[in-house]
Amino acid sequence: MRTVYVNGDYLPEDQAKVSIFDRGFLMADGVYEVTSVLGGKLIDFDGHAVRLARSLKELEMANPVTKDELLAIHRELVTVNGIEDGMIYLQITRGSPGDRDFVFPDPEQTPSTIVLFTQNKPGMADSPVATTGLKIISIEDIRWGRRDIKTVQLLYPSMGKMMAKKAGVDDAWLVEDGFVTEGTSNNAYIVKNGKIITRALSSDILHGITRAAVLRFAAEAQMEVEERNFSIDEAKDADEAFVTSASAFVMPVVEIDGVALGDGTPGKVAPRLREIYLDESRKAAV
Ligand code: PLP
């Protein structure tokens, strides 16, 4: 039985409750973050806290906790649940005004709801998939226009994962006007002639915390990086591809729409970046 955090209380998971009028439940009016834990320490905590504050600001939603309080809650949950490797899920919604209404409630009257829980994933950094790579399909990106805000509107990404599952592969890349935006729950990259290519930041994609770290490490390792649009055809013709996210770190992609990339194995760049990312992030973990 996990101990979870709800609006100031640490409770057994079966005693934690949120109102049926909560706007997260009724309107997907909420934001979230997922922070990894390796060796009992938080990976990229600062980046997640900064992005959370930005998501809240963009939606004019009150932030119920300071960064220091947030860190203390994360650490307490890691300790009480004995998490060595895993994730912490955090969600903040616009709260429960006690009825259903499209108009935002006054934040003075309706406090935000905040929930955090842990997910235990022993050995998550040693996933065997990292050595074989992911197979993906491409699907149309029909999500809303503010993908830079990390909202809990995850129905279409969830449908995308199901389309991938039905097609017998691992994940899907989203394509808009012929260009790859990102993965269902990760940022997307291709590698051609040693150069790493990934879409530039805009409201079209989530500004991945892992993306920022990986691009910084790539530059420090003198790898060439180009931030620009790439088409799904260009991706199929790439030497390598990979995705990044807080929970998958750097994960190679070896097949797109049935087309094997290179020799159909993870290649050199993605495994190297994964190694650097894991080493450096463990060193900087808090
Ligand atoms: N893009 C999307 C759509 C995501 O859902 C995620 C993570 O959930 C990412 C990118 C990767 O972001 P991060 O590296 O901050 O986990």
Side-chain angles (χ1 to χ4, degrees):
M1 172 93 64
R2 271 175 293 194
T3 296
V4 303
Y5 178 90
V6 189
N7 298 328
D9 295 322
Y10 293 91
L11 296 169
E13 63 184 43
D14 62 351
Q15 286 172 35
K17 300 215 166 26
V18 174
S19 165
I20 64 156
F21 298 114
D22 195 278
R23 288 180 58 95
F25 177 61
L26 294 180
M27 302 198 164
D29 188 359
V31 300
Y32 76 108
E33 284 295 331
V34 177
T35 303
S36 276
V37 179
L38 290 178
K41 288 186 165 179
L42 303 161
I43 303 295
D44 281 332
F45 174 80
D46 252 42
H48 290 285
V50 168
R51 185 174 60 191
L52 174 68
R54 179 182 180 274
S55 293
L56 291 167
K57 189 163 166 276
E58 291 296 311
L59 295 175
E60 299 170 41
M61 207 182 284
N63 192 345
V65 280
T66 65
K67 197 167 147 193
D68 288 348
E69 286 166 344
L70 202 59
L71 179 58
I73 299 166
H74 276 73
R75 284 187 166 147
E76 179 67 10
L77 287 177
V78 168
T79 304
V80 294
N81 292 297
I83 306 294
E84 191 59 20
D85 295 340
M87 280 112 73
I88 301 190
Y89 177 84
L90 151 78
Q91 180 168 329
I92 297 176
T93 75
R94 208 181 301 273
S96 165
D99 204 348
R100 182 172 180 272
D101 190 346
F102 279 80
V103 175
F104 291 175
D106 178 352
E108 296 292 323
Q109 313 287 326
T110 305
S112 312
T113 298
I114 175 165
V115 168
L116 287 94
F117 58 82
T118 53
Q119 293 184 291
N120 194 21
K121 304 266 179 208
M124 73 185 286
D126 307 316
S127 165
V129 189
T131 58
T132 52
L134 302 173
K135 293 179 179 179
I136 62 147
I137 51 168
S138 60
I139 60 172
E140 202 189 334
D141 195 341
I142 57 166
R143 297 173 300 163
W144 79 324
R146 289 302 307 273
R147 301 157 192 159
D148 55 315
I149 307 175
K150 197 166 169 67
T151 76
V152 296
Q153 302 172 81
L154 297 180
L155 182 54
Y156 189 66
S158 189
M159 290 168 73
K161 287 262 189 209
M162 290 310 296
M163 289 182 230
K165 196 174 169 190
K166 281 180 192 147
V169 299
D170 305 295
D171 204 353
W173 277 9
L174 305 168
V175 177
E176 190 170 53
D177 302 328
F179 295 107
V180 175
T181 51
E182 57 189 331
T184 56
S185 59
N186 43 57
N187 289 114
Y189 310 73
I190 56 170
V191 181
K192 188 73 183 178
N193 301 324
K195 189 193 283 178
I196 300 163
I197 300 159
T198 193
R199 196 174 176 110
L201 296 181
S202 71
S203 52
D204 296 339
I205 61 168
L206 186 75
H207 301 188
I209 301 307
T210 320
R211 177 190 184 280
V214 163
L215 292 189
R216 195 174 66 244
F217 297 142
E220 283 168 13
Q222 320 291 330
M223 295 177 180
E224 207 182 335
V225 177
E226 196 177 336
E227 293 180 68
R228 64 158 170 87
N229 284 5
F230 61 90
S231 69
I232 194 70
D233 287 337
E234 189 179 1
K236 286 178 200 166
D237 190 43
D239 303 324
E240 276 185 53
F242 61 94
V243 294
T244 63
S245 75
S247 53
F249 312 116
V250 177
M251 192 58 81
V253 168
V254 294
E255 185 190 295
I256 302 175
D257 290 334
V259 177
L261 305 186
D263 64 1
T265 66
K268 288 200 172 62
V269 174
R272 177 80 191 113
L273 274 176
R274 181 179 174 90
E275 196 178 288
I276 298 174
Y277 176 77
L278 285 170
D279 281 355
E280 295 299 323
S281 315
R282 279 182 200 275
K283 276 190 233 158
V286 295

